[in-house]
Amino acid sequence: MILDLEGPDVLARVPARPGVYLFRAADGIVLYVGKAKALRQRLAAYLRPSAEPAPKTALMLARARRVELVLTGSEKEALLLEAALIKEHRPRYNVRLRDDKAYPFLRLSTGHPFPRLTVVRRRRPDGALYFGPYPSAGAVRATLRLLAPAFRLRSCSDHAFRHRRRPCLQYQIGRCSAPCVGRVSREAYAAQVREARLFLEGRTAPLLRQLRRRMAAEAEALRFEAAAELRDRIRAVESLVEGQAVVAGQGARWDVVGLAREGERAAAAVLRVRAGVLRGQETLELAGPGDVPDGEIVAAFLRDYYGAGRPVPPEVLVPVLPEEADVLAEGLREMAGRKVRLARALRGRRRRLAEMATRNAREALAAAGAERAAWTAVADRLVAVLGLRRRPRLVEGVDIATTGGEGAVAGLVAFRDGHPFRDGYRIYGIRTVAGMDDFAMIREAVERRLARAGEPGRGGWPDLLLVDGGRGQLGMAEAALAAAGAAGRVELVALAKDRDGGGERLYRPGRPEPIRLDRADPALLFLQRVRDEAHGFGNRFHGRRRDRGRLASSLRDVPGVGPGWERRLLARFGSIAGLRAAGREALRGVPGLPAALADRIYDHLHGGEG
């Protein structure tokens, strides 16, 4: 149901039922999403002549022209729908996480007989177990280094695992049990996986009890070598536990939330307590808090924080309870699949942890303010030297990667407020250009980037687009902007190295002479960073595509190898180098591949050598 806010008797047409409401501007953009136990009562607080909304709400209502209503069966359903709609539309006037970073996780694969631990940036619904998120890549890799000697899980890729013929260095230095060559049974390795999982879940007390029981059983059975290995593992786990801060009883599994506000800005910190041990912290900035009460900010934070797939503990401690705490707790229960308690931290250890979380939130807010000030200075410098119409927030860079015109791709990267914005990275395989025509490739890439920029979920319009090259590349990007109807919307700059190695030149539309800046100029250093990131991103993808193409073209010369075997061999060995390194016996071991054909492929790749 969509109601015109300027029509008569708007409130009379609003049902007194639970649901979600969306205020929309004249152009249809969603300004605000909210939920209500009774929609008519909630909207009356906005629309009655006697209503006196807060300044931020008054600004939103001044822009709103329509309100869309979505009825739900319960307040809990409204809560879940509200979270989904805010995530989809990212309304300007809602409080939400300002979280462009992809925090790293540890991923424990489950679909392989011998699972491995890897570092990933995204949780996916693939059946694997994810632990984290960790505050930085350094933190998660440090954790992985500490875990390796204690649990000795493999870290190699599935491809390397399949083709390993002797133990690698990780086995020699005691960081892997070498399941690839049968140095550990599947059952024993499964026990290592269970132990690593217990530790990563923070259940160190039951883990140590389990290990000690197994060590005693091995010693009683006179298997002293196995008992000694378990003793070493117990010591390794104990040394890891000693370095952790015990902050509560062993059964405590809490997330402790701290909140800090300063003017129009806010930040939250979450301390993760598992099995009574402080296992980590995460700090996040919030967008759009304005004059919203603390309770509403806390509710919005919990909705977004756990709605992103983070694990929900049995107890969440907050600085202030939201108005509808019972509904929010029910929503968290829905996410966790069990009861979740939402409470304030009023005394004892809980209160001390809450104070620590608040201090960390204040520090995060101050650090974010300093970062924003640094970026503002760079953005203002870009405006000054390039003559931009406004301070850029979203800056994108595009570069072409090709080898002799073959397999050309364009790598596009995005920076938001001076930081890489990974969700904005794109690869475009060049489709319409044959041969070495860098200018035409730039035009195709920019046209494809901008063709659907105005559609929801397509990343919007960049404020500044950088192309690698000189006047010619800039002209092609200008033509692409004109074709997309974005000539007045997106600013352009081209960055080219001087042929004599004397520095860099910047080209802008309408300026016949290049702009030259000092090597240490912050605007130039930032644009070089964008250009270099686009260059590396495109080249990495192009290299993988080139290797796949060489593998296919090389195999086509072997009698008996068709497109089907090309695909299967590529999937198994990954590249021409991987296929060459595999050896004759590895080729003969490919399921379904006749031995004679395997020999022909081997001889072809090795020039007939035995």
Side-chain angles (χ1 to χ4, degrees), residues 76 85 102 136 157 169 190 229 340 467 556 606:
K76 182 185 75 175
L85 290 173
S136 68
S157 69
L169 179 62
E229 184 179 325
V340 177
V467 295
R556 289 189 196 109
H606 294 81

Side-chain angles (χ1 to χ4, degrees), residues 499-534:
R499 291 191 179 89
D500 59 6
E504 305 259 19
R505 291 163 291 150
L506 296 167
Y507 292 93
R508 285 276 288 147
R511 295 183 64 161
E513 296 300 319
I515 303 166
R516 297 179 185 274
L517 300 177
D518 185 85
R519 291 176 186 270
D521 190 291
L524 177 61
L525 292 173
F526 173 71
L527 294 175
Q528 286 172 330
R529 183 183 174 202
V530 175
R531 188 264 314 278
D532 294 345
E533 179 73 5

Side-chain angles (χ1 to χ4, degrees), residues 108 112-115 150-154 171 176-180 182-197 207 210-211 214 218 223 225-227 229-230 233:
L108 182 62
H112 193 282
F114 296 95
F151 303 107
R152 304 180 69 195
L153 300 186
R154 72 180 179 97
Y171 173 78
C176 178
S177 51
C180 53
R183 296 294 174 93
V184 61
S185 68
R186 185 166 177 175
E187 292 74 20
Y189 191 87
Q192 295 169 204
V193 171
R194 287 194 297 272
E195 293 159 8
R197 179 177 177 179
L207 168 61
Q210 187 181 106
L211 289 173
R214 287 177 55 202
E218 295 290 359
R223 292 191 287 268
E225 188 174 336
E229 184 179 325
L230 286 165
R233 193 173 301 166

Side-chain angles (χ1 to χ4, degrees), residues 427 537 539-549 574-575:
I427 285 288
F537 180 59
N539 276 341
R540 286 191 295 273
F541 186 90
H542 172 66
R544 292 194 294 269
R545 170 182 275 195
R546 181 190 58 213
D547 286 347
R548 289 197 296 268
S575 68

